Amino acid sequence: MQREPVQIVLASSLSEREPAIARWITSGRGSLAFILGDEECRHRLLADGINWDRVLIAYCSEGAIGYAAFKHHRRGPFSPGPAPFVREFGWLGGSLRYGLFMISECREWYYGFYLYGLRVRKVARRQGVASALLQAVCEQALGCGQEKVELEVQAKNLAARTFYAHHGFVSIRTMSWLSRLVPIPTVINLRRTLSPPSRVPSK
Ligand SMILES: CC(C)(COP(=O)(O)OP(=O)(O)OC[C@H]1O[C@@H](n2cnc3c(N)ncnc32)[C@H](O)[C@@H]1OP(=O)(O)O)[C@@H](O)C(=O)NCCC(=O)NCCS
């Protein structure tokens, strides 16, 4: 099949963002459904707190076909306040869930540059879209002085594991202990070390 050119854009550089993109991005984090609820609920909790400078979007002539979200310097794609949690679950339940969400976000503090989420629309898969997004993510990492990109992938997500292995990610550890403590699936921590672009020697 002829591969259509894909344009990768940092979402904060867009003058307008379609609400459908916010809905799509907030549909991730399904593994935290026990804290954040179903897709609709996650959207209500997170949509107003998206940090668009941590989101890359892949466009083709059809519109947005993929996104990558990343985190560095303790800032990821979501910084919700407690208010939507309290609105959704009441004062006690909302504060508790907000606290748990913030703890789960802090858990990633030790990653210098963390690939938080990557998704391509089903109709556009196996055409190199995620590879182009990953390339742009690595450029973001290098641009902010990081030499490695890390992520967590569900052990059962064989397609994603194959994708990351294809791109030189290696397994660092399997975090099965976490799923013994909280109801989330076993995840594997992957890492890719980046090589900075070689400098052209000055004459
Ligand atoms: C995983 C995902 C992001 C891959 O996106 P994609 O645009 O289809 O990936 P690419 O076309 O860039 O794939 C590059 C290579 O990765 C490997 N790969 C990608 N998807 C694969 C699959 N389903 N099965 C096996 N290998 C796969 C292949 O080697 C592929 O090269 P090839 O097509 O020439 O054989 C996409 O399937 C997706 O959005 N899945 C749902 C969300 C998800 O699981 N995200 C990762 C969470 S950490």
Side-chain angles (χ1 to χ4, degrees):
M1 193 206 282
Q2 180 74 38
R3 291 185 176 189
E4 210 193 311
V6 174
Q7 199 195 353
I8 310 288
V9 181
L10 191 62
S12 54
S13 71
L14 297 168
S15 53
E16 257 183 82
R17 283 175 290 267
E18 300 153 48
I21 294 181
R23 184 165 284 279
W24 195 25
I25 291 167
T26 56
S27 72
R29 293 275 120 165
S31 59
L32 292 184
F34 72 103
I35 301 173
L36 301 175
D38 61 15
E39 268 189 45
E40 283 299 319
C41 185
R42 294 203 284 281
H43 182 253
R44 290 194 293 275
L45 295 177
L46 303 174
D48 290 336
I50 298 177
N51 297 319
W52 292 103
D53 58 341
R54 296 297 193 257
V55 180
L56 289 158
I57 303 175
Y59 284 98
C60 73
S61 56
E62 306 280 301
I65 47 169
Y67 75 84
F70 54 91
K71 180 171 182 172
H72 63 88
H73 293 93
R74 299 202 178 90
R75 182 175 160 94
F78 303 121
S79 300
F85 285 74
V86 171
R87 245 191 333 263
E88 193 71 33
F89 300 109
W91 188 86
L92 189 61
S95 305
L96 182 68
R97 284 172 190 251
Y98 179 69
L100 287 171
F101 177 65
M102 295 320 280
I103 290 170
S104 92
E105 290 283 293
C106 290
R107 190 181 56 75
E108 294 147 357
W109 66 271
Y110 53 85
Y111 297 119
F113 193 100
Y114 178 65
L115 177 53
Y116 192 100
L118 174 68
R119 183 169 287 267
V120 172
R121 289 205 191 282
K122 278 192 179 136
V123 289
R125 288 183 189 167
R126 300 305 286 266
Q127 295 170 48
V129 177
S131 300
L133 280 163
L134 185 61
Q135 171 69 28
V137 165
C138 293
E139 283 162 17
Q140 290 284 329
L142 286 169
C144 62
Q146 301 290 332
E147 288 178 355
K148 50 187 192 251
V149 171
E150 290 173 277
L151 60 94
E152 289 168 8
V153 62
Q154 289 190 16
K156 64 178 185 204
N157 189 347
L158 298 181
R161 287 172 65 184
T162 309
F163 168 79
Y164 290 123
H166 177 87
H167 285 287
F169 280 82
V170 293
S171 168
I172 303 302
R173 67 182 83 86
T174 301
M175 296 156 79
S176 45
W177 58 269
L178 203 54
S179 48
R180 270 182 237 126
L181 297 177
V182 282
I184 62 165
T186 297
V187 293
I188 301 175
N189 175 206
L190 303 178
R191 176 185 295 160
R192 173 170 155 187
T193 304
L194 306 173
S195 18
S198 48
R199 294 220 176 110
V200 179
S202 50
K203 291 186 183 161

